[in-house]
Amino acid sequence: MEAKHDVLIVGAGCAGMRAAIEAHDQGADVALISKIHPVRSHSGAAEGGINAALGNASEDDPEKHAFDTVKGSDYLGDQDAIQVLCDEAPGDVYQLEHWGAVFSRTEDGRIAQRPFGAAGEPRTAYAADITGHVLVHVLYEQVMKRDLQVYEEYFAWQLVEHENRCQGVICWDLLNGGLRTIGAKTVILATGGAGRLYSGTTNAYACTGDGMAMALRLGVPLKDMEMMQFHPTTLSPTGVLITEGCRGEGAYLLNSEGDRFLKDYAPNAMELASRDVISRAEQTEIDEGRGVDGNVLLDLRHLGAEKIIERLHGTRELSMVFAGVDPIHDPIPVRPGAHYHMGGVETDLDGKTALEGLYAAGECACVSVHGANRLGGNALMETITFGKRAGRAAADWALSHTTVTVPEAAEADAKRELDELLDRDDGERPYAIRDEMATTMHENFGVFRREDQMRREGKIIAGLTERYERVVVDDKSDVFNNDLTQALELGFLLQLAACMIEAGIARKESRGAHARPHDFPDRDDENFLRHTLVSWRDDRPELSWEPVRMTKWQPQERKY
Ligand SMILES: Cc1cc2nc3c(=O)[nH]c(=O)nc-3n(C[C@H](O)[C@H](O)[C@H](O)COP(=O)(O)OP(=O)(O)OC[C@H]3O[C@@H](n4cnc5c(N)ncnc54)[C@H](O)[C@@H]3O)c2cc1C
């Protein structure tokens, strides 16, 4: 064992860094592991903002925030978790501000807040359209101020379980090569999302669901894995996100006939309906022949050059660089793309998982505040509030327990497995399997889902998993062997895809991101107001169900 810590955090995005700061401030010895430099974590790509009922733009309070979130989740969110998020959000945002987050301001100097989809009040605090970038830098400054150890460019591959406790992580050292084992009294997974399961996604190459899969392999259940959110405005053809902030500022969505087609789907909320509603509307327009080259158009022109340049500067730049379109003069071609995983490692309100010593927070976790559909601005908030809570709980536990044991056999087994992969000279290259997985997931497990397509995808994934057993890594070297790590990531992704399909087939209703218009077009609260849980047993996903935790909001019809 190389080193040991009280609290070891895998992932250094907003959730991981917020957890690290809190655990340290509780008195624990803390370290972070990240496969990329912390400020390059995908949290930095968040543009639109972070939700807290500060009440700076209207009369708002945590209760309204909670109701919007419950309704937005299509009633699948756990209401106690949502209440925690909304109650703690204002204090947590002011904490970020005091650490130096440069939020955009109102005329009288308070934190500005913009409208976001399905939010009853303008509650999204923002730093122009680079909110995530600002937060990641502020948190990294706090990590540096506390002089926390960061194992940068360490690829976490396996969790160590010993005596029914998680007691460390086995990593591949990207810079120097070789396996490194780091022991810990508690481990917090904060590895982000898994958008790379899909060919059209807003997620970076690093978003491969590693933490979810590592937990799954230790028997920890994943919750609501069928719930992958498709964001309605991703740039064609790259999948780069065009922020919901555009619609918050008043942009229109148009079809090929120049119609604001949302009048037929969400006549009240129009472009500010929730993401699942708009993605389905767009896909329907495209499928029925009213799209423009497989897209619809996001029109900002009426906002005027001054507003676009001041508030949506980054969006303009992305559109010009990646689509050759200047939104001051022309509408932007957009379409739904895989964006956010509402599902993840099941945790309690303090990030604790089913395995002693193992915690999870941020997008890789499912606490669950987003249920079947996440509201824009709530994910960043979740990373901060539940990162903080997981950090505190993990530190508390670590400070009252003393031993860390990593059996030698754990590292020896991992080494044997890795050598077997690296010693293989003949076989298939991983990229072909990865491309096939991502394209077919998009086709068969996308905005709309059909039983026959999901079953077909299940068979495709099973076939790809078999081929994966014979995958060959060409690069045998030690330094920055991305060929190796991408092969390991593919193994994670294939397992997660199998879990998603298992849960998707079982959920015989339409709720939030899981839309089955052909066979089960309606929400079915009688039978499916419950979470899916998937565990890994005998080399395949095994499904069970868990009730939604309700407090005061009974399900109602969602009208926008
Ligand atoms: C383009 C885009 C825009 C968004 N905009 C918004 C927004 O405006 N508002 C909002 O609320 N939400 C937004 N979201 C969602 C939100 O940004 C994310 O859900 C959130 O930032 C995820 O944070 P995280 O800390 O959980 O993970 P990440 O920030 O993705 O961090 C994951 C960390 O885990 C590490 N890691 C992963 N695997 C391993 C491994 N095997 N070994 C070691 N380290 C590993 C990575 O290096 C990284 O440090 C957006 C998402 C996208 C994709």
Side-chain angles (χ1 to χ4, degrees):
M1 181 166 40
E2 192 128 307
K4 58 183 176 187
H5 302 277
D6 290 332
V7 180
L8 180 61
I9 298 160
V10 187
C14 281
M17 289 199 282
R18 186 63 189 85
I21 293 164
E22 192 69 17
H24 170 271
D25 291 355
Q26 297 297 311
D29 161 46
V30 178
L32 294 119
I33 299 174
S34 185
K35 65 181 176 180
I36 48 180
H37 187 279
V39 300
R40 297 185 66 86
S41 298
H42 204 53
S43 289
E47 300 166 17
I50 179 166
N51 290 345
L54 307 176
N56 289 349
S58 68
E59 286 286 315
D60 198 9
D61 59 54
E63 201 70 5
K64 288 189 192 171
H65 184 185
F67 174 67
D68 289 342
T69 304
V70 169
K71 181 180 168 201
S73 79
D74 222 350
Y75 293 90
L76 193 67
D78 284 327
Q79 296 182 7
D80 53 353
I82 291 172
Q83 193 81 57
V84 166
L85 177 84
C86 301
D87 286 348
E88 296 186 15
D92 287 347
V93 165
Y94 286 128
Q95 170 78 83
L96 291 168
E97 188 199 27
H98 297 163
W99 280 337
V102 284
F103 288 111
S104 297
R105 299 277 150 184
T106 60
E107 298 260 297
D108 60 359
R110 290 175 299 156
I111 295 176
Q113 295 186 276
R114 56 168 49 131
F116 244 48
E121 305 292 338
R123 108 171 27 104
T124 305
Y126 57 97
D129 54 5
I130 53 163
T131 312
H133 178 86
V134 166
L135 296 188
V136 158
H137 280 267
V138 162
L139 292 168
Y140 189 55
E141 280 166 19
Q142 294 299 316
V143 165
M144 286 197 296
K145 184 177 166 192
R146 288 164 177 76
D147 206 15
L148 304 185
Q149 169 134 24
V150 183
Y151 296 96
E152 251 167 55
E153 284 154 348
Y154 267 45
F155 179 92
W157 177 38
Q158 294 183 3
L159 300 173
V160 178
E161 183 187 356
H162 180 57
E163 292 173 343
N164 299 321
R165 268 175 58 198
C166 183
Q167 303 208 38
V169 182
I170 298 178
C171 312
W172 171 258
D173 177 350
L174 284 156
L175 184 58
N176 304 298
L179 289 179
R180 311 272 177 255
T181 303
I182 306 171
K185 294 180 190 168
T186 55
V187 173
I188 304 179
L189 296 170
T191 50
R196 285 282 144 187
L197 280 156
Y198 288 85
S199 51
T201 177
T202 60
N203 285 201
Y205 283 98
C207 300
T208 47
D210 306 6
M212 297 182 206
M214 281 189 273
L216 185 74
R217 288 173 183 182
L218 280 196
V220 175
L222 305 181
K223 183 162 160 178
D224 295 336
M225 286 301 283
E226 69 278 26
M227 297 301 179
M228 171 62 80
Q229 175 170 79
F230 277 71
H231 193 291
T233 56
T234 75
L235 200 58
S236 174
T238 54
V240 168
L241 181 84
I242 298 297
T243 174
E244 190 162 317
C246 294
R247 283 173 288 130
E249 297 294 346
Y252 298 149
L253 278 166
L254 307 176
N255 62 16
S256 60
E257 289 153 21
D259 262 356
R260 282 179 72 191
F261 56 88
L262 282 161
K263 66 181 184 322
D264 300 327
Y265 303 87
N268 297 318
M270 294 293 286
E271 282 82 0
L272 289 181
S274 68
R275 291 177 176 175
D276 56 338
V277 172
I278 300 187
S279 287
R280 283 196 294 276
E282 286 181 0
Q283 197 61 51
T284 306
E285 292 295 301
I286 295 165
D287 291 348
E288 293 181 359
R290 292 183 296 279
V292 180
D293 299 331
N295 306 298
V296 293
L297 300 173
L298 182 72
D299 195 355
L300 276 70
R301 291 172 296 182
H302 56 285
L303 302 182
E306 198 182 323
K307 194 168 181 181
I308 293 173
I309 289 167
E310 186 204 322
R311 299 207 192 160
L312 299 165
H313 179 79
T315 298
R316 179 173 180 235
E317 203 165 293
L318 289 174
S319 306
M320 291 198 296
V321 172
F322 291 103
V325 167
D326 181 349
I328 292 177
H329 304 295
D330 292 298
I332 312 169
V334 292
R335 62 182 175 185
H339 180 58
Y340 182 85
H341 217 144
M342 276 77 72
V345 183
E346 194 202 17
T347 72
D348 71 6
L349 300 181
D350 292 315
K352 194 171 179 325
T353 73
L355 178 64
E356 191 79 86
L358 183 66
Y359 297 75
E363 190 169 340
C364 80
C366 181
V367 49
S368 101
V369 288
H370 311 299
N373 174 65
R374 170 173 79 83
L375 298 191
N378 271 354
L380 281 180
M381 198 64 254
E382 181 197 9
T383 64
I384 301 299
T385 298
F386 287 97
K388 173 194 73 181
R389 291 175 71 95
R392 188 179 301 162
D396 279 356
W397 198 90
L399 292 172
S400 54
H401 294 74
T402 49
T403 59
V404 177
T405 315
V406 175
E408 276 179 22
E411 193 171 312
D413 288 350
K415 185 159 183 343
R416 202 171 313 114
E417 204 181 318
L418 195 76
D419 286 347
E420 202 181 305
L421 175 62
L422 283 172
D423 290 347
R424 197 177 299 146
D425 285 321
D426 264 349
E428 190 173 358
R429 300 285 292 130
Y431 69 85
I433 299 175
R434 192 183 58 218
D435 289 353
E436 211 171 312
M437 171 198 69
T439 317
T440 57
M441 281 296 283
H442 217 98
E443 278 165 17
N444 297 325
F445 206 79
V447 174
F448 294 121
R449 288 148 191 200
R450 300 171 67 119
E451 179 99 14
D452 57 339
Q453 282 182 309
M454 289 191 281
R455 289 199 182 278
R456 193 181 324 141
E457 188 61 21
K459 288 198 181 117
I460 292 171
I461 295 295
L464 294 175
T465 305
E466 255 185 70
R467 281 162 56 189
Y468 178 74
E469 298 299 318
R470 297 182 297 279
V471 89
V472 67
V473 172
D474 268 355
D475 185 351
K476 311 290 182 194
S477 69
D478 280 339
V479 179
F480 278 105
N481 190 341
N482 291 332
D483 199 16
L484 170 64
T485 50
Q486 285 180 13
L488 300 177
E489 288 169 346
L490 177 59
F492 292 147
L493 287 169
L494 286 167
Q495 249 176 315
L496 297 182
C499 294
M500 292 164 74
I501 294 161
E502 183 79 14
I505 292 171
R507 186 174 286 286
K508 297 189 186 306
E509 63 161 352
S510 288
R511 184 185 297 271
H514 188 62
R516 302 182 60 159
H518 304 283
D519 48 4
F520 300 102
D522 300 319
R523 199 177 75 198
D524 176 359
D525 289 328
E526 205 170 309
N527 295 303
F528 293 103
L529 186 60
R530 49 188 184 150
H531 299 287
T532 55
L533 287 184
V534 183
S535 304
W536 200 258
R537 305 240 189 282
D538 302 328
D539 275 343
R540 59 176 314 280
E542 188 181 279
L543 188 85
S544 57
W545 299 88
E546 191 182 78
V548 173
R549 293 195 302 272
M550 317 277 287
T551 55
K552 53 185 140 182
W553 294 283
Q554 288 308 309
Q556 297 168 10
E557 198 186 335
R558 280 162 92 211
K559 285 197 183 129
Y560 289 106

